[in-house]
């Protein structure tokens, strides 16, 4: 369903992953995250390459299950053990519906819970796509450390985020280019402004340097950026 949420005056206050958002979330992502499909393809390839038998893949903030389905498709029928977690019941319900229709040959468990309360263990892959940015900054380091501890040796964390630059003027330029992208995707200036206001105190981005520093402070000694487009970036961290 097409995302027209912010054309309505009914949507007020902070952004929430409620039933209305769940209904249009796939369209919202594809039109709001530059190169979303390409990043998904890369993540699916990295996840299947690093998955090990008798281990698990955790998708923290799995939203509607798109990443899980893409990983299963990339695995070409191989049996995977995947745990998807999201704190929104409407979003998890949508994920169950999509995954059921896709019928992947994988052992998939979907949990409606706060990702900070999930036990992570025996993991070869952990994924957070545009999720950490919604966690309070003071809670992020502890979460990264828990992920590091729950990964097996050689396991990877794949992290995608909206980011800032160290230079404020450059951040402003990149954000302007992002709004140009959203206009190209059919969003009006009013919709862009209303969504920006709704996300203002909910989505708190960091600079790319702080993202890399956070991963290193969480225990990872091998971290890198594998994708960057203006104010969006994706990172890989390997447990040595």
């Amino acid at each position: 369903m097409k995302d027209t949420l912010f054309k309505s005056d009914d949507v007020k206050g902070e952004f929430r992953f409620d039933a209305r958002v769940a209904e249009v979330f796939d369209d919202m992502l594809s039109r709001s995250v530059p190169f979303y499909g390409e990043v998904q393809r890369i993540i699916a390839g990295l996840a299947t390459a690093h998955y090990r038998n008798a281990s698990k893949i955790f998708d923290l903030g799995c939203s509607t299950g798109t990443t899980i389905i893409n990983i299963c498709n990339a695995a070409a029928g191989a049996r995977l053990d995947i745990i998807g977690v999201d704190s929104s019941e409407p979003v998890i319900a949508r994920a169950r519906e999509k995954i059921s229709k896709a019928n992947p040959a994988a052992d998939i468990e979907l949990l409606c819970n706060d990702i900070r309360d999930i036990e992570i263990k025996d993991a070869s892959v952990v994924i957070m796509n545009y999720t950490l940015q919604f966690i309070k900054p003071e809670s992020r380091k502890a979460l990264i450390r828990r992920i590091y501890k729950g990964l097996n040796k050689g396991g990877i964390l794949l992290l995608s985020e909206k980011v800032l630059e160290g230079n404020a003027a450059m951040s402003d330029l990149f954000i302007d280019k992002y709004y140009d992208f959203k206009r190209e995707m059919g969003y009006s200036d009013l919709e862009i402004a209303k969504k920006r206001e709704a996300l203002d105190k909910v989505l708190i981005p960091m600079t790319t340097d702080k993202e890399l520093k956070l991963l290193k402070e969480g225990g990872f000694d091998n971290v890198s950026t594998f994708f960057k487009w203006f104010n969006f970036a994706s990172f890989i961290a390997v447990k040595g």
Side-chain angles (χ1 to χ4, degrees):
M1 183 177 293
K2 190 175 179 64
D3 172 28
T4 58
L5 273 182
F6 290 93
K7 284 185 176 180
S8 170
D9 289 332
D10 294 337
V11 180
K12 296 178 180 178
E14 292 183 350
F15 186 90
R16 299 182 185 278
F17 291 92
D18 56 18
R20 289 178 297 181
V21 169
E23 201 171 40
V24 301
F25 200 50
D26 288 340
D27 182 68
M28 183 185 290
L29 283 173
S30 67
R31 294 168 60 214
S32 299
V33 180
F35 293 93
Y36 179 71
E38 178 64 11
V39 172
Q40 283 284 324
R41 185 189 68 79
I42 295 170
I43 286 172
L46 288 170
T48 53
H50 285 83
Y51 178 76
R52 297 293 178 264
N53 290 334
S55 72
K56 294 178 174 63
I57 295 174
F58 285 81
D59 187 0
L60 304 180
C62 65
S63 70
T64 63
T66 297
T67 303
I68 292 174
I69 292 170
N70 287 339
I71 290 171
C72 292
N73 290 340
R79 200 74 188 180
L80 306 175
D81 190 350
I82 305 177
I83 298 173
V85 186
D86 203 285
S87 61
S88 168
E89 183 57 55
V91 168
I92 280 287
R94 177 70 178 131
R96 290 193 180 103
E97 179 186 347
K98 284 174 57 179
I99 290 170
S100 176
K101 289 180 179 178
N103 194 28
D107 183 7
I108 299 170
E109 182 180 8
L110 296 177
L111 304 173
C112 184
N113 211 330
D114 189 317
I115 63 173
R116 292 169 293 184
D117 297 331
I118 296 297
E119 182 183 13
I120 301 167
K121 62 179 182 179
D122 298 328
S124 54
V125 180
V126 176
I127 299 162
M128 281 197 293
N129 280 333
Y130 317 105
T131 298
L132 189 64
Q133 60 198 22
F134 289 102
I135 300 295
K136 291 181 179 180
E138 61 268 24
S139 299
R140 294 177 187 179
K141 186 183 294 186
L143 176 58
I144 296 297
R145 284 177 174 168
R146 288 182 54 247
I147 291 170
Y148 178 83
K149 290 179 181 178
L151 278 165
N152 298 333
K153 186 176 181 180
I156 62 169
L157 166 62
L158 300 172
L159 173 68
S160 295
E161 293 273 85
K162 185 181 282 189
V163 295
L164 300 172
E165 297 303 306
N167 179 285
M170 197 63 71
S171 283
D172 290 344
L173 172 62
F174 285 10
I175 290 169
D176 285 344
K177 298 304 294 182
Y178 173 52
Y179 292 154
D180 287 344
F181 165 82
K182 294 194 75 172
R183 292 183 189 99
E184 291 171 5
M185 292 295 105
Y187 286 112
S188 68
D189 286 343
L190 179 61
E191 288 176 285
I192 293 169
K194 288 176 69 175
K195 188 174 182 183
R196 180 177 66 238
E197 182 181 356
L199 286 169
D200 185 47
K201 295 181 181 178
V202 180
L203 190 164
I204 303 174
M206 297 189 294
T207 65
T208 51
D209 287 345
K210 286 185 177 179
E211 294 275 5
L212 294 168
K213 181 181 178 183
L214 178 66
L215 292 170
K216 290 179 180 178
E217 289 177 345
F220 295 98
D221 56 4
N222 190 4
V223 301
S224 189
T225 305
F226 69 82
F227 179 87
K228 182 80 164 64
W229 183 94
F230 291 112
N231 62 324
F232 284 79
S234 296
F235 309 90
I236 180 171
V238 183
K239 183 171 181 176

